[in-house]
Amino acid sequence: MIGRLSGKFIEATDTQVLLDVGGVGYELDVTTGVLGLLPASGAPLSLYTHLVVREDAQLLYGFDSRHQRDLFRSLIRVNGVGPKLALALLSALTAAELAQAVNRGDVSALTRISGVGKKTAERLLVELKGKVDAGLESVSAAAAVSGISVAPLGPDAARAGALDALKALGYRPAEAERMVQEAALVAAEESPKGVPDTAMLVRLALRG
């Protein structure tokens, strides 16, 4: 299994990236998120990868983080969801938005994506329950999307860490700030004597 490739970025199409690794050009199917982060041609580029072997082809899929790749792998385990549809889901929804849709049982959030019918959306909600949260509840996993370090202990630091983690997951600063404030209020009600840590605030913010 090819788990990661590091080389020089050569070019990209609307759906693929060409990566030169030691003189060998690898074509990787990627999400729109990866396409938006590409460097200049000839610059170094590293992507986490997943290899799909079929009778007629060997296909590589590239991701900007291990977390995104893990989500992709969870998606393709769902009956009726192939690699192409999994990429479409990850292109249309951030990791946080996917987690919220699963937690709320929001079928409509998934069926708005081309190729996702009601039955597929319902299967996704059932089979991803608990699996998406597993990657988001830990601060290190959430912050790993953009390499943000785990915040130290303390209420102010915890809020700052949660804010950074939500920004890394694709939320706008103002929206992330509102979510952290609401999460802090809920945390105070649920644990009035305790000081919420960053992980707790991120979990409560994503719970909505």
Side-chain angles (χ1 to χ4, degrees), residues 30-32 72 75 82-93 113-116:
V30 297
T31 65
T32 55
F72 175 83
L75 287 169
K84 184 177 292 187
L85 185 53
L87 276 190
L89 283 159
L90 293 177
S91 293
L93 300 173
I113 299 168
S114 178
V116 180

Side-chain angles (χ1 to χ4, degrees), residues 105-191:
D106 191 349
V107 172
S108 64
L110 300 180
T111 54
R112 284 196 293 267
I113 299 168
S114 178
V116 180
K118 184 177 180 181
K119 290 184 178 179
T120 299
E122 290 171 345
R123 281 198 298 270
L124 283 164
L125 295 178
V126 170
E127 297 190 33
L128 292 180
K129 191 69 173 179
K131 296 179 182 177
V132 179
D133 279 343
L136 294 175
E137 286 183 357
S138 75
V139 181
S140 58
V145 177
S146 65
I148 296 170
S149 60
V150 177
L153 296 176
D156 292 338
R159 290 192 183 199
L163 184 62
D164 285 341
L166 292 173
K167 289 178 184 177
L169 291 169
Y171 286 99
R172 294 185 296 274
E175 185 178 15
E177 180 68 35
R178 175 188 59 77
M179 292 171 68
V180 170
Q181 289 178 353
E182 292 177 355
L185 292 174
V186 174
E189 293 175 358
E190 294 185 358
S191 181

Side-chain angles (χ1 to χ4, degrees), residues 10-34:
I10 303 302
E11 61 183 10
T13 67
D14 290 340
T15 59
Q16 285 188 331
V17 165
L18 181 62
L19 186 65
D20 184 325
V21 181
V24 179
Y26 290 87
E27 291 182 339
L28 298 95
D29 289 300
V30 297
T31 65
T32 55
V34 171

